[in-house]
Amino acid sequence: MNAYAGVFAVSCTREQSRGAKTLQRERQLNQFLAEVERRALRIAEIAVRDRDEALDLVQDAMIKLARNYAGRPGDEWAPLFYRILQNGVRDWHRRQKVRNRVMVWFGRGRSGEDDYDVVANTPDPAGRSPDDELQTHEAMQRLEVSIRELPGRQREAFMLRTFEGLDVAGTAVAMGCSEGSVKTHYSRAVHVLRDKLGDHW
Amino acid sequence: MNDPGKNEQIANQAKELFDDSVEQLDAATLSRLNRGRHQALAELQGSADTVKWGRWVPAAGVAAAAVVTVVVMRGPQVDELEPVTASDFEMLLEEDSFEMFEDLEFYVLLDAVASEANGDVG
């Protein structure tokens, strides 16, 4: 009888320890996602030009990270999360291309890029004069347009390095390429942006 | 062209603008992000449950194998008994199979509809 009680107690202790570990992991993951989600959303939004779509992509990435990689060390989460997100963005672009081809075939293709108003889609900031606000919006709009015009890999490298602050190794994991490629893509991206924005900045 | 100072300035200014736009995200968007995050965390809880449940899978597999072995050894008189392969167990233990059992009513309905279409309704 005592032996059974002992086994039961050990089993309960193990369960509690496992529960505490899960809780701790959940707390760490919550903290990580809370830190990263807003920047991730803006990065996705710049890439797909639609906030709702970007929200869906970020949510998918969060769920996939939790489902598949929650057990990995916390310092691996950022590159993995962005890898999932970048894959989502690439898939989204592929689907869009196919959708646009079909729509064009049916004579209902979109006229172009220009029905997205970044200013209208950006919420009002607090505590700034309308002129300052407008200037910032315009600068961000120019930046977004220029980033969107970059080739995909350059855009990814620039946003992950500059906006998310991933190092070269982390960016390489997120992009699924070598560190050398990251350096090349990033350097080219900066040069292009400099050429495009240099006069305005 | 290769002025590192100028390149850094471009990157810094871009980062500043970007951070500014992040700070200005509206409450509705933040709320949706929050909901998405909690859904992801619920997934984590779900996977923990799966892990707990999964600990019984090997035991269940061994038990099932024992039952099948006994049936096969005791039943040579059943000529049409097909050999049981490892893939059969694999299929039985797949998560989808359990989902199928949960949706049994749906499959019964499908079967009824198919029978009706074939004129089997008596």
Short mmCIF file of all heavy atoms in Angstrom, two decimals, chain B residues 55-94:
data_model
loop_
_atom_site.label_atom_id
_atom_site.label_comp_id
_atom_site.label_asym_id
_atom_site.label_seq_id
_atom_site.Cartn_x
_atom_site.Cartn_y
_atom_site.Cartn_z
N ARG B 55 2.25 9.94 -24.39
CA ARG B 55 3.03 9.01 -23.59
C ARG B 55 2.37 7.64 -23.54
O ARG B 55 3.01 6.64 -23.27
CB ARG B 55 3.21 9.55 -22.18
CG ARG B 55 4.22 10.68 -22.12
CD ARG B 55 4.45 11.12 -20.72
NE ARG B 55 3.24 11.71 -20.18
CZ ARG B 55 2.83 11.51 -18.94
NH1 ARG B 55 3.48 10.76 -18.13
NH2 ARG B 55 1.71 12.09 -18.51
N TRP B 56 1.06 7.60 -23.79
CA TRP B 56 0.34 6.32 -23.73
C TRP B 56 0.37 5.60 -25.07
O TRP B 56 -0.01 4.43 -25.14
CB TRP B 56 -1.10 6.56 -23.30
CG TRP B 56 -1.17 7.06 -21.90
CD1 TRP B 56 -1.34 8.35 -21.50
CD2 TRP B 56 -1.01 6.31 -20.71
NE1 TRP B 56 -1.30 8.43 -20.14
CE2 TRP B 56 -1.10 7.19 -19.62
CE3 TRP B 56 -0.79 4.95 -20.45
CZ2 TRP B 56 -0.98 6.78 -18.31
CZ3 TRP B 56 -0.68 4.55 -19.14
CH2 TRP B 56 -0.77 5.44 -18.08
N VAL B 57 0.83 6.29 -26.12
CA VAL B 57 0.79 5.67 -27.44
C VAL B 57 1.64 4.41 -27.52
O VAL B 57 1.15 3.38 -27.99
CB VAL B 57 1.21 6.70 -28.53
CG1 VAL B 57 1.47 6.00 -29.86
CG2 VAL B 57 0.12 7.74 -28.68
N PRO B 58 2.92 4.43 -27.02
CA PRO B 58 3.70 3.20 -27.11
C PRO B 58 3.03 2.04 -26.38
O PRO B 58 2.98 0.93 -26.90
CB PRO B 58 5.03 3.58 -26.44
CG PRO B 58 5.10 5.05 -26.49
CD PRO B 58 3.67 5.54 -26.44
N ALA B 59 2.49 2.32 -25.19
CA ALA B 59 1.84 1.26 -24.42
C ALA B 59 0.64 0.72 -25.18
O ALA B 59 0.43 -0.49 -25.28
CB ALA B 59 1.40 1.81 -23.06
N ALA B 60 -0.14 1.64 -25.76
CA ALA B 60 -1.31 1.23 -26.53
C ALA B 60 -0.89 0.40 -27.74
O ALA B 60 -1.54 -0.59 -28.08
CB ALA B 60 -2.09 2.47 -26.98
N GLY B 61 0.22 0.81 -28.36
CA GLY B 61 0.74 0.09 -29.52
C GLY B 61 1.11 -1.33 -29.17
O GLY B 61 0.75 -2.29 -29.87
N VAL B 62 1.82 -1.47 -28.04
CA VAL B 62 2.25 -2.80 -27.59
C VAL B 62 1.02 -3.65 -27.29
O VAL B 62 0.94 -4.82 -27.70
CB VAL B 62 3.16 -2.69 -26.34
CG1 VAL B 62 3.40 -4.06 -25.74
CG2 VAL B 62 4.48 -2.03 -26.71
N ALA B 63 0.05 -3.06 -26.60
CA ALA B 63 -1.17 -3.80 -26.26
C ALA B 63 -1.90 -4.25 -27.52
O ALA B 63 -2.32 -5.41 -27.63
CB ALA B 63 -2.08 -2.94 -25.39
N ALA B 64 -2.00 -3.33 -28.48
CA ALA B 64 -2.70 -3.66 -29.73
C ALA B 64 -1.96 -4.77 -30.46
O ALA B 64 -2.59 -5.70 -31.00
CB ALA B 64 -2.81 -2.41 -30.60
N ALA B 65 -0.62 -4.69 -30.47
CA ALA B 65 0.17 -5.71 -31.15
C ALA B 65 -0.05 -7.07 -30.49
O ALA B 65 -0.18 -8.09 -31.18
CB ALA B 65 1.65 -5.33 -31.09
N ALA B 66 -0.12 -7.08 -29.15
CA ALA B 66 -0.32 -8.33 -28.43
C ALA B 66 -1.68 -8.93 -28.80
O ALA B 66 -1.78 -10.13 -29.08
CB ALA B 66 -0.25 -8.09 -26.92
N VAL B 67 -2.69 -8.07 -28.84
CA VAL B 67 -4.04 -8.56 -29.17
C VAL B 67 -4.05 -9.15 -30.58
O VAL B 67 -4.56 -10.25 -30.80
CB VAL B 67 -5.07 -7.41 -29.06
CG1 VAL B 67 -6.40 -7.82 -29.66
CG2 VAL B 67 -5.24 -7.00 -27.60
N VAL B 68 -3.45 -8.43 -31.51
CA VAL B 68 -3.45 -8.90 -32.90
C VAL B 68 -2.68 -10.21 -33.01
O VAL B 68 -3.09 -11.14 -33.71
CB VAL B 68 -2.85 -7.82 -33.84
CG1 VAL B 68 -2.63 -8.39 -35.22
CG2 VAL B 68 -3.78 -6.63 -33.90
N THR B 69 -1.55 -10.31 -32.29
CA THR B 69 -0.75 -11.53 -32.33
C THR B 69 -1.60 -12.72 -31.86
O THR B 69 -1.61 -13.78 -32.49
CB THR B 69 0.50 -11.39 -31.42
OG1 THR B 69 1.16 -10.21 -31.79
CG2 THR B 69 1.41 -12.60 -31.56
N VAL B 70 -2.31 -12.52 -30.75
CA VAL B 70 -3.14 -13.60 -30.21
C VAL B 70 -4.21 -13.98 -31.24
O VAL B 70 -4.42 -15.17 -31.51
CB VAL B 70 -3.80 -13.15 -28.88
CG1 VAL B 70 -4.89 -14.13 -28.47
CG2 VAL B 70 -2.74 -13.04 -27.80
N VAL B 71 -4.84 -12.98 -31.82
CA VAL B 71 -5.90 -13.26 -32.80
C VAL B 71 -5.34 -14.03 -33.98
O VAL B 71 -5.92 -15.03 -34.42
CB VAL B 71 -6.55 -11.94 -33.27
CG1 VAL B 71 -7.45 -12.18 -34.48
CG2 VAL B 71 -7.35 -11.32 -32.13
N VAL B 72 -4.19 -13.61 -34.48
CA VAL B 72 -3.60 -14.27 -35.65
C VAL B 72 -3.21 -15.70 -35.31
O VAL B 72 -3.45 -16.64 -36.08
CB VAL B 72 -2.38 -13.47 -36.17
CG1 VAL B 72 -1.60 -14.27 -37.21
CG2 VAL B 72 -2.83 -12.14 -36.76
N MET B 73 -2.62 -15.89 -34.11
CA MET B 73 -2.16 -17.24 -33.73
C MET B 73 -3.34 -18.18 -33.48
O MET B 73 -3.27 -19.36 -33.75
CB MET B 73 -1.29 -17.16 -32.48
CG MET B 73 0.08 -16.57 -32.80
SD MET B 73 1.12 -16.47 -31.35
CE MET B 73 1.47 -18.17 -31.07
N ARG B 74 -4.42 -17.62 -32.94
CA ARG B 74 -5.56 -18.47 -32.61
C ARG B 74 -6.49 -18.68 -33.80
O ARG B 74 -7.36 -19.54 -33.73
CB ARG B 74 -6.36 -17.85 -31.48
CG ARG B 74 -5.71 -17.99 -30.12
CD ARG B 74 -6.51 -17.23 -29.11
NE ARG B 74 -7.91 -17.64 -29.15
CZ ARG B 74 -8.48 -18.46 -28.26
NH1 ARG B 74 -7.77 -18.93 -27.26
NH2 ARG B 74 -9.75 -18.78 -28.35
N GLY B 75 -6.32 -17.95 -34.82
CA GLY B 75 -7.33 -18.01 -35.87
C GLY B 75 -6.84 -18.43 -37.23
O GLY B 75 -7.15 -17.79 -38.22
N PRO B 76 -6.04 -19.52 -37.35
CA PRO B 76 -5.57 -19.92 -38.68
C PRO B 76 -6.71 -20.41 -39.56
O PRO B 76 -6.58 -20.47 -40.76
CB PRO B 76 -4.58 -21.05 -38.37
CG PRO B 76 -5.00 -21.57 -37.05
CD PRO B 76 -5.61 -20.43 -36.31
N GLN B 77 -7.86 -20.80 -38.89
CA GLN B 77 -8.97 -21.32 -39.68
C GLN B 77 -9.64 -20.23 -40.51
O GLN B 77 -10.40 -20.53 -41.42
CB GLN B 77 -10.01 -22.01 -38.78
CG GLN B 77 -10.73 -21.10 -37.82
CD GLN B 77 -9.97 -20.89 -36.52
OE1 GLN B 77 -8.74 -21.07 -36.47
NE2 GLN B 77 -10.66 -20.50 -35.47
N VAL B 78 -9.37 -18.96 -40.19
CA VAL B 78 -9.99 -17.89 -40.97
C VAL B 78 -9.10 -17.62 -42.19
O VAL B 78 -8.08 -16.96 -42.09
CB VAL B 78 -10.13 -16.60 -40.13
CG1 VAL B 78 -10.85 -15.52 -40.91
CG2 VAL B 78 -10.87 -16.90 -38.83
N ASP B 79 -9.52 -18.18 -43.30
CA ASP B 79 -8.66 -18.14 -44.50
C ASP B 79 -8.45 -16.74 -45.03
O ASP B 79 -7.39 -16.41 -45.54
CB ASP B 79 -9.28 -19.01 -45.60
CG ASP B 79 -9.24 -20.47 -45.21
OD1 ASP B 79 -8.32 -20.85 -44.45
OD2 ASP B 79 -10.13 -21.22 -45.64
N GLU B 80 -9.51 -15.93 -44.92
CA GLU B 80 -9.40 -14.63 -45.58
C GLU B 80 -8.74 -13.57 -44.69
O GLU B 80 -8.72 -12.40 -45.03
CB GLU B 80 -10.78 -14.14 -46.05
CG GLU B 80 -11.85 -14.00 -44.99
CD GLU B 80 -12.56 -15.32 -44.70
OE1 GLU B 80 -12.11 -16.35 -45.23
OE2 GLU B 80 -13.52 -15.32 -43.94
N LEU B 81 -8.22 -13.96 -43.53
CA LEU B 81 -7.58 -12.98 -42.65
C LEU B 81 -6.31 -12.44 -43.31
O LEU B 81 -5.41 -13.21 -43.68
CB LEU B 81 -7.22 -13.64 -41.32
CG LEU B 81 -6.66 -12.72 -40.25
CD1 LEU B 81 -7.76 -11.77 -39.76
CD2 LEU B 81 -6.11 -13.52 -39.09
N GLU B 82 -6.28 -11.14 -43.48
CA GLU B 82 -5.11 -10.55 -44.14
C GLU B 82 -4.01 -10.29 -43.13
O GLU B 82 -4.30 -9.99 -41.96
CB GLU B 82 -5.50 -9.21 -44.78
CG GLU B 82 -6.35 -9.42 -46.02
CD GLU B 82 -6.71 -8.11 -46.68
OE1 GLU B 82 -6.12 -7.09 -46.29
OE2 GLU B 82 -7.54 -8.12 -47.57
N PRO B 83 -2.75 -10.42 -43.55
CA PRO B 83 -1.67 -10.16 -42.60
C PRO B 83 -1.68 -8.71 -42.14
O PRO B 83 -1.98 -7.81 -42.92
CB PRO B 83 -0.40 -10.46 -43.42
CG PRO B 83 -0.82 -10.39 -44.83
CD PRO B 83 -2.27 -10.75 -44.88
N VAL B 84 -1.37 -8.52 -40.87
CA VAL B 84 -1.34 -7.16 -40.33
C VAL B 84 0.09 -6.64 -40.44
O VAL B 84 1.03 -7.31 -40.03
CB VAL B 84 -1.76 -7.17 -38.85
CG1 VAL B 84 -1.71 -5.77 -38.28
CG2 VAL B 84 -3.16 -7.74 -38.73
N THR B 85 0.24 -5.48 -41.04
CA THR B 85 1.59 -4.94 -41.23
C THR B 85 1.81 -3.77 -40.28
O THR B 85 0.87 -3.25 -39.67
CB THR B 85 1.76 -4.44 -42.67
OG1 THR B 85 0.83 -3.38 -42.87
CG2 THR B 85 1.51 -5.54 -43.68
N ALA B 86 3.07 -3.36 -40.21
CA ALA B 86 3.42 -2.23 -39.34
C ALA B 86 2.68 -0.97 -39.75
O ALA B 86 2.28 -0.16 -38.93
CB ALA B 86 4.93 -2.00 -39.40
N SER B 87 2.48 -0.84 -41.07
CA SER B 87 1.82 0.39 -41.54
C SER B 87 0.37 0.46 -41.07
O SER B 87 -0.19 1.53 -40.91
CB SER B 87 1.90 0.50 -43.06
OG SER B 87 1.21 -0.58 -43.62
N ASP B 88 -0.23 -0.73 -40.84
CA ASP B 88 -1.61 -0.73 -40.31
C ASP B 88 -1.64 -0.09 -38.93
O ASP B 88 -2.52 0.70 -38.62
CB ASP B 88 -2.14 -2.16 -40.23
CG ASP B 88 -2.32 -2.76 -41.60
OD1 ASP B 88 -2.50 -1.98 -42.56
OD2 ASP B 88 -2.25 -3.98 -41.71
N PHE B 89 -0.65 -0.48 -38.11
CA PHE B 89 -0.59 0.10 -36.76
C PHE B 89 -0.36 1.61 -36.85
O PHE B 89 -0.96 2.40 -36.14
CB PHE B 89 0.55 -0.52 -35.95
CG PHE B 89 0.20 -1.88 -35.45
CD1 PHE B 89 0.87 -3.00 -35.89
CD2 PHE B 89 -0.82 -2.04 -34.51
CE1 PHE B 89 0.54 -4.25 -35.43
CE2 PHE B 89 -1.15 -3.29 -34.05
CZ PHE B 89 -0.48 -4.41 -34.51
N GLU B 90 0.55 1.94 -37.76
CA GLU B 90 0.89 3.35 -37.94
C GLU B 90 -0.37 4.14 -38.28
O GLU B 90 -0.65 5.17 -37.71
CB GLU B 90 1.89 3.46 -39.10
CG GLU B 90 2.81 4.66 -39.00
CD GLU B 90 3.86 4.57 -40.09
OE1 GLU B 90 4.57 3.56 -40.17
OE2 GLU B 90 3.92 5.51 -40.87
N MET B 91 -1.15 3.56 -39.20
CA MET B 91 -2.37 4.25 -39.62
C MET B 91 -3.35 4.38 -38.46
O MET B 91 -3.94 5.43 -38.24
CB MET B 91 -3.03 3.49 -40.76
CG MET B 91 -4.17 4.24 -41.41
SD MET B 91 -5.26 3.14 -42.30
CE MET B 91 -6.18 2.41 -40.97
N LEU B 92 -3.43 3.30 -37.68
CA LEU B 92 -4.37 3.34 -36.55
C LEU B 92 -3.96 4.37 -35.50
O LEU B 92 -4.81 4.96 -34.84
CB LEU B 92 -4.44 1.96 -35.88
CG LEU B 92 -5.30 0.95 -36.62
CD1 LEU B 92 -5.16 -0.42 -35.98
CD2 LEU B 92 -6.77 1.39 -36.58
N LEU B 93 -2.64 4.54 -35.36
CA LEU B 93 -2.17 5.45 -34.31
C LEU B 93 -2.05 6.89 -34.78
O LEU B 93 -1.73 7.76 -34.01
CB LEU B 93 -0.82 4.97 -33.77
CG LEU B 93 -0.91 3.64 -33.02
CD1 LEU B 93 0.47 3.13 -32.67
CD2 LEU B 93 -1.75 3.80 -31.76
N GLU B 94 -2.26 7.10 -36.08
CA GLU B 94 -2.19 8.47 -36.58
C GLU B 94 -3.29 9.30 -35.96
O GLU B 94 -4.39 8.82 -35.72
CB GLU B 94 -2.37 8.48 -38.10
CG GLU B 94 -1.06 8.32 -38.84
CD GLU B 94 -1.29 8.22 -40.32
OE1 GLU B 94 -2.44 8.40 -40.76
OE2 GLU B 94 -0.33 7.95 -41.04
#
